[in-house]
Amino acid sequence: MSVNVSMAMIPAAVSEFMRGPHRLLIDGKWVPAASHRTFPTHNPADGSLLSDIAAAEAVDVDLAVTAARRAFDDGPWSRMAPAARAKLIWKLADALEAQAEEFAFIETLDNGKPLNDAKVVDLPHSIEVLRYFAGWCTKLNGESISISNPGTWHAYTTREPVGVVGSITPWNAPLMMAVSKIAPALAAGCTVVLKPAEQTPLTALKLGQLILDVGFPDGVVNILTGFGETAGAAMTAHPGIDKVTFTGSTEVGRLIVRAAAADFKRVTLELGGKTPVIVFPDADIDRAIEGAARSIFSNAGQICNAGSRLYAHRDVFERLVDGVSRRASEIRVGAGLAASTQMGPVVSQEQLERISGFIASGQNQGAEIRAGGGRIGSEGYFIQPTVLTGTRPDMDVVQQEIFGPVLCAMSYDEADLDRIAREANATNYGLGAVLWTQNLSTAHKMARKLKAGTVRVNGGGLDPALPFGGFKQSGWGRELGREGIEGYTELKSVAMAL
């Protein structure tokens, strides 16, 4: 494992940005928190201090919401022609693309993920999401409705922006999540107050610089760094916010629902997952091995849709588990800036301890470690890619979201699709599922039986055009796709007697 990486490789512009100061973006200006309090953010690769960040609290939230409210009610944004909004959002995508290298370095320093992953996954996806939703600005149409009331009528529907949106994003994919919430809200004509996760605020602040540079009107996007229990709680309770969109844990999602219920804010929640990966005996096993390993070990398993439960037919189980375990042992774990790194650290000491606790719990309940299972070194927050066998449906490691590089492998004896689906569905989550089979009939039948918002067959990943969200306790609503932008609108019916 490589931890120590020369800071000389970091671009000068990134080093300058990291020095700060890192303030709040409110009404088009960078300002300190009203309390002048700050908090540190650390490099997960070695625990070193990266920057001090302004700590927003309720008074800062009120200022930001007031600015967003003014920009929506009185300012130019909601009245701007759709094509003009589209041009600005596209311009932001161009600006992000021009500085993609800098953003990738900042994301890696703040989150820990391999630099190459930031370059080839996070940045291209973020840029494409902006361009995708820029295209929706001119396509949010209503429709004419035929009604049967006596007389002659002209009836139609329109879509209008919901208003001021409070967006709260997680630490596992900071830039991607920020863009996935900002882009559809802006395209719909809403204004935004964004709170990035306190562990990883830096790319959101860098994005704020671009938003100012490309010419968005003051108050359209406001960015508040701070903690969930202060800034986040104040946002969800604020009467000036019309919609809250949150990605994070199911536990915090419940708190947001309770707070939003006071004034019936619109709410979109993308919460936890426990994605099953189901391998049938006719699958291309070599591809399934690579796909299963990638699904759980990418981003150190810190993905809501990570394939954390593996179900394989007994005829292929040992070959599959051996292959994934071998792949786990070969993964080069290290600092994200090291060129050889394939998996970086987890985001924090707290997360490291949480994952380690789940592994110990699995062992105590009878699971066997086939690969990994331990911490790597004493500096930074590194843990081995881990494969557990002998797991049962009632174990905590099978039922609860670990959010780390830990795979629970189980076998089944016969291809009874109903039985397999029952076991795959037997958690509180329903975010995603993965199937490996060469039988189209099996794939289609299983896709219908699985209680999951996204079913991927033989690979695949996120695309801005595909709605993303979950069943059961994996959330409410959808992000991305047409449904993603419609979630930032209200539908109005108009009936006119002629």
Side-chain angles (χ1 to χ4, degrees):
M1 184 194 75
S2 173
V3 175
N4 294 317
V5 178
S6 172
M7 298 300 283
M9 69 177 294
I10 299 174
V14 172
S15 297
E16 181 181 356
F17 170 79
M18 299 299 286
R19 285 193 290 270
H22 297 296
R23 296 172 175 162
L24 312 175
L25 178 58
I26 298 177
D27 205 15
K29 300 176 181 63
W30 293 106
V31 297
S35 67
H36 291 278
R37 293 190 179 120
T38 63
F39 64 94
T41 184
H42 296 95
N43 184 343
D46 57 14
S48 63
L49 176 69
L50 288 175
S51 299
D52 285 312
I53 312 293
E57 297 179 3
V59 62
D60 306 292
V61 170
D62 191 58
L63 292 170
V65 173
T66 298
R69 185 90 259 162
R70 184 168 56 247
F72 182 80
D73 291 339
D74 305 322
W77 190 246
S78 59
R79 301 172 191 170
M80 188 178 288
R85 287 204 306 274
K87 287 178 181 177
L88 267 178
I89 297 170
W90 195 278
K91 191 175 178 182
L92 179 59
D94 288 345
L96 182 57
E97 188 171 46
Q99 296 188 30
E101 181 91 356
E102 295 173 25
F103 272 86
F105 271 92
I106 295 167
E107 195 81 324
T108 292
L109 286 166
D110 210 17
N111 167 270
K113 65 179 59 189
L115 180 61
N116 189 61
D117 288 2
K119 287 182 178 181
V120 303
V121 178
D122 297 64
L123 267 299
H125 181 77
S126 300
I127 293 162
E128 186 58 31
V129 166
L130 285 166
R131 289 176 176 155
Y132 174 82
F133 282 112
W136 268 107
C137 292
T138 55
K139 300 172 185 66
L140 280 174
N141 303 319
E143 59 181 340
S144 297
I145 308 292
S146 297
I147 61 176
S148 301
N149 287 344
T152 303
W153 294 83
H154 174 50
Y156 59 93
T157 59
T158 63
R159 285 201 173 272
E160 300 179 358
V162 70
V164 177
V165 175
S167 298
I168 303 174
T169 57
W171 46 257
N172 62 321
L175 180 65
M176 286 172 58
M177 292 295 98
V179 167
S180 292
K181 294 186 183 299
I182 288 175
L186 295 179
C190 300
T191 56
V192 176
V193 179
L194 170 70
K195 194 202 86 66
E198 58 266 26
Q199 296 91 340
T200 55
L202 291 171
T203 46
L205 295 173
K206 180 70 171 173
L207 185 66
Q209 288 186 355
L210 295 190
I211 287 168
L212 296 184
D213 291 344
V214 302
F216 280 79
D218 293 347
V220 171
V221 178
N222 306 272
I223 300 175
L224 302 179
T225 49
F227 293 89
E229 58 268 28
T230 50
M235 284 174 60
T236 56
H238 200 290
I241 286 181
D242 301 296
K243 175 185 172 78
V244 173
T245 174
F246 168 77
T247 296
S249 71
T250 299
E251 292 75 16
V252 175
R254 290 191 183 95
L255 297 176
I256 288 173
V257 168
R258 294 189 188 106
D263 52 2
F264 291 96
K265 289 181 176 67
R266 304 311 189 238
V267 177
T268 296
L269 302 171
E270 197 267 281
L271 306 175
K274 198 69 182 175
T275 295
V277 178
I278 304 169
V279 183
F280 291 89
D282 68 324
D284 182 330
I285 300 302
D286 289 336
R287 287 186 61 205
I289 287 170
E290 287 302 311
R294 185 168 54 251
S295 181
I296 187 59
F297 301 136
S298 293
N299 204 31
Q302 299 171 127
I303 301 173
C304 53
N305 207 17
S308 56
R309 293 182 294 149
L310 176 65
Y311 296 95
H313 191 275
R314 64 180 177 182
D315 291 348
V316 297
F317 179 78
E318 283 301 327
R319 180 181 167 193
L320 195 73
V321 171
D322 285 346
V324 176
S325 299
R326 183 174 60 254
R327 184 74 186 90
S329 66
E330 294 170 349
I331 291 174
R332 295 187 295 274
V333 181
L337 292 183
S340 62
T341 292
Q342 295 174 314
M343 191 182 96
V346 297
V347 76
S348 65
Q349 180 68 29
E350 179 184 6
Q351 187 66 6
L352 178 66
E353 292 172 358
R354 171 183 169 84
I355 297 165
S356 298
F358 270 110
I359 294 171
S361 168
Q363 286 183 282
N364 291 337
Q365 293 178 340
E368 176 189 349
I369 294 178
R370 291 285 287 268
R375 180 176 183 175
I376 302 174
S378 59
E379 184 180 70
Y381 316 126
F382 296 92
I383 194 162
Q384 294 173 319
T386 299
V387 178
L388 302 178
T389 57
T391 52
R392 303 183 309 273
D394 61 318
M395 289 182 173
D396 291 341
V397 288
V398 176
Q399 287 295 317
Q400 297 185 38
E401 184 178 44
I402 299 173
F403 222 61
V406 180
L407 178 66
C408 298
M410 293 159 279
S411 66
Y412 61 90
D413 292 334
E414 55 187 70
D416 179 342
L417 301 190
D418 288 327
R419 177 182 171 277
I420 297 167
R422 278 197 300 273
E423 190 158 336
N425 292 333
T427 73
N428 292 326
Y429 300 108
L431 189 59
V434 179
L435 304 176
W436 289 92
T437 179
Q438 298 185 65
N439 187 312
L440 281 175
S441 178
T442 297
H444 284 300
K445 288 177 181 177
M446 281 299 295
R448 292 183 179 182
K449 296 175 185 294
L450 293 167
K451 302 297 184 184
T454 300
V455 179
R456 291 172 288 162
V457 182
N458 298 331
L462 279 178
D463 187 279
L466 279 174
F468 184 78
F471 289 20
K472 298 187 283 185
Q473 293 184 27
S474 286
W476 287 351
R478 294 294 181 267
E479 295 187 323
L480 304 178
R482 176 175 182 167
E483 293 76 7
I485 189 169
E486 288 182 348
Y488 291 92
T489 67
E490 293 279 21
L491 189 64
K492 178 181 288 183
S493 297
V494 179
M496 188 179 302
L498 301 181

